[in-house]
Amino acid sequence: MNGTVINQKSTDLYALAFGTAVAMWGIGYICRIPSIMAPGWLVLALMLICFVLGGYMLGLKTNRGATGGICLGVLTSILNLLILGSLLSGDEPNHVHPSAFIWVPGSFVIAVILTSIGASIGTKKRQADAPEPYWLYALSLVAMIATFLLVVAGGLVTSHDAGLAVVDWPNSFGYNMFLYPLSRMTGGIYYEHAHRLLGSLVGLTTLVLTMQMFRVESRSWLKKFSLAAFIAVCIQGILGGLRVTGTFTMSASPDDTAPNLALAAVHGVLGQIIFAMMVAIVLFTSSTWRSDHQPTPKISADTDRILNGILVISVVIQIVIGALQRHFASGLLVHITMAVVVLVLVFACATRAWGLHVEQPLLPRVGKALLIIIGVQIILGFGALGVTAHADQRPSPTALEVIITTLHQVTGAVLLVFSMKLWLLSFRLLKPREPIAS
């Protein structure tokens, strides 16, 4: 195998705990979007179900049993403290309501009970000879999903012009970020503050992923790559804060802050690159990369690698130009011109993968996906042009404008990761072959 497993100790708990937390945070984020505002009882019910499902997966996929269910409940509850504080914050900054001394331990007890119930059910369904999953891959997948959720949240911040809705950083209107009351998260404040909270979850997930990578993974280059991803996430968080304040300050006074729009554009681009890095880690830890599956000798392998690499670079350039257009309303003609270049490259790379490498089924599948994604992106691009045509004449973005522009940005990120996936797979599944002499 290309990457042997040293041990998986505790990685299963981390993968399932972070997976459960990400699912709960995702549900909470979507349900609390101001235009949705699902009933509180529904949000609570869905979150409690996540505890049971997390425990069920632990019982089904591991031998930890009830003890594992308890550990899972405790670990997930610790992660959820990052958002529980918003429900327990007092009327004054950095003060908590006295009921916190009941609700915090109560949340742990409820989580442990539900995850243990789920673990008991899963254990009964578990097959004795079921193979142990590669949990580092599962943890990588959770990190990727969390990052994707953050990319979507970031897109909504930009689409709602809410980047400066919270005037200070790392505090929020003088509150510790994790103690800002949920009742005050309205309008643009909700989008910006929720984005910050999700960023903290991604940072913590990436940190644990990197730690486990150094404990479990045998490939030194992958350890270094995961560390680079974590460092990039840290830089991204700092850029997001400095975009608001312009300098390192705890003050919320306009006299002490200088919001930086250029950093907003850099922040947006780096977020999509980090998402691509997370997808790469998922690919590197997958069975496709770790197996003994032999690459196919092809005369065209070098050509495919070069074309796919050019495609990745072109998509990154297009994302940069798109960020400039989004934040500065400049470069539209260049953006459209580059879209044509990307379209041609996608068509060339995708059809080559689809038609020339049928012996490696994964390559045609990625090629087909790229063609679908670029088609959707072109449609969304025209849609974005239409809905933003007179945006400067409106006091705030319309719902349709927010939906179309956010989807356009997110689809750009998806296009990048699939382009990168095709490029990486051309190294794993293909190898150059000398032409046969006549």
Side-chain angles (χ1 to χ4, degrees):
M1 296 179 71
N2 287 307
T4 57
V5 180
I6 298 175
N7 77 75
Q8 296 201 75
K9 185 177 180 181
S10 73
T11 310
D12 55 345
L13 281 175
Y14 285 126
L16 290 168
F18 276 93
T20 302
V22 168
M24 295 177 72
W25 285 44
I27 289 171
Y29 175 75
I30 294 171
C31 290
R32 290 292 303 180
I33 287 178
S35 59
I36 297 177
M37 288 302 291
W41 64 264
L42 176 61
V43 180
L44 177 60
L46 291 174
M47 287 188 167
L48 295 180
I49 289 173
C50 287
F51 279 126
V52 178
L53 291 177
Y56 176 79
M57 291 304 298
L58 181 137
L60 186 67
K61 298 295 184 180
T62 76
N63 291 314
R64 290 184 177 272
T67 303
I70 295 173
C71 294
L72 177 63
V74 171
L75 186 54
T76 306
S77 295
I78 292 173
L79 296 175
N80 285 339
L81 287 177
L82 296 177
I83 54 173
L84 185 61
S86 64
L87 298 173
L88 303 174
S89 182
D91 295 329
E92 298 295 328
N94 304 328
H95 285 77
V96 296
H97 196 275
S99 62
F101 295 101
I102 298 175
W103 281 103
V104 171
S107 69
F108 276 75
V109 172
I110 292 173
V112 167
I113 292 174
L114 293 178
T115 52
S116 297
I117 291 174
S120 298
I121 298 172
T123 300
K124 294 178 181 178
K125 298 286 186 179
R126 177 176 169 78
Q127 298 179 358
D129 57 348
E132 183 86 359
Y134 185 48
W135 289 107
L136 193 59
Y137 168 75
L139 183 56
S140 302
L141 196 62
V142 169
M144 181 199 74
I145 294 171
T147 307
F148 179 72
L149 180 61
L150 183 60
V151 168
V152 174
L156 287 172
V157 169
T158 305
S159 297
H160 281 94
D161 294 330
L164 297 176
V166 181
V167 297
D168 52 343
W169 176 84
N171 287 335
S172 296
F173 297 106
Y175 283 80
N176 178 287
M177 183 175 71
F178 302 109
L179 294 176
Y180 188 70
L182 179 64
S183 60
R184 300 190 182 188
M185 296 183 204
T186 58
I189 295 176
Y190 173 80
Y191 292 106
E192 170 60 11
H193 190 71
H195 180 59
R196 294 183 180 190
L197 293 177
L198 287 170
S200 68
L201 180 62
V202 169
L204 189 56
T205 307
T206 311
L207 171 61
V208 172
L209 172 62
T210 302
M211 291 170 56
Q212 290 304 106
M213 193 74 73
F214 275 81
R215 291 185 62 199
V216 175
E217 180 57 55
S218 62
R219 292 167 286 181
S220 60
W221 62 267
L222 184 50
K223 296 177 183 179
K224 295 174 183 177
F225 186 79
S226 65
L227 179 59
F230 172 65
I231 293 173
V233 169
C234 293
I235 294 173
Q236 174 73 340
I238 294 172
L239 286 175
L242 293 180
R243 178 267 183 273
V244 174
T245 64
T247 185
F248 291 100
T249 176
M250 301 289 286
S251 174
S253 171
D255 296 331
D256 300 321
T257 59
N260 193 316
L261 198 57
L263 288 182
V266 176
H267 181 68
V269 173
L270 183 57
Q272 299 194 43
I273 292 175
I274 290 173
F275 177 44
M277 295 177 75
M278 295 299 180
V279 173
I281 292 175
V282 171
L283 181 59
F284 294 147
T285 55
S286 69
S287 58
T288 297
W289 208 276
R290 295 183 298 108
S291 71
D292 294 324
H293 182 77
Q294 295 299 309
T296 302
K298 281 293 185 75
I299 296 176
S300 62
D302 283 334
T303 302
D304 285 308
R305 292 173 179 179
I306 292 172
L307 280 176
N308 294 338
I310 293 173
L311 172 60
V312 172
I313 294 172
S314 299
V315 174
V316 171
I317 293 173
Q318 176 68 331
I319 288 174
V320 172
I321 299 172
L324 294 175
Q325 168 60 27
R326 238 189 147 187
H327 290 282
F328 295 97
S330 63
L332 179 59
L333 184 58
V334 178
H335 188 52
I336 294 173
T337 303
M338 194 64 196
V340 176
V341 174
V342 171
L343 174 62
V344 173
L345 284 170
V346 167
F347 185 79
C349 295
T351 52
R352 287 177 66 88
W354 186 356
L356 298 181
H357 308 302
V358 292
E359 68 286 343
Q360 295 284 3
L362 188 54
L363 289 173
R365 287 202 295 270
V366 176
K368 293 175 187 177
L370 268 173
L371 290 174
I372 294 173
I373 293 167
I374 193 64
V376 172
Q377 183 69 334
I378 293 298
I379 293 172
L380 288 172
F382 280 113
L385 280 175
V387 297
T388 60
H390 303 289
D392 56 340
Q393 301 176 12
R394 294 189 290 269
S396 61
T398 64
L400 183 60
E401 182 181 342
V402 168
I403 293 172
I404 295 296
T405 55
T406 301
L407 284 176
H408 186 52
Q409 178 176 333
V410 171
T411 305
V414 174
L415 179 63
L416 172 61
V417 301
F418 271 84
S419 300
M420 181 206 61
K421 186 175 182 179
L422 184 62
W423 178 55
L424 293 175
L425 286 174
S426 66
F427 285 90
R428 176 64 184 89
L429 301 179
L430 303 175
K431 68 178 182 179
R433 185 190 73 186
E434 294 295 330
I436 300 176
S438 57

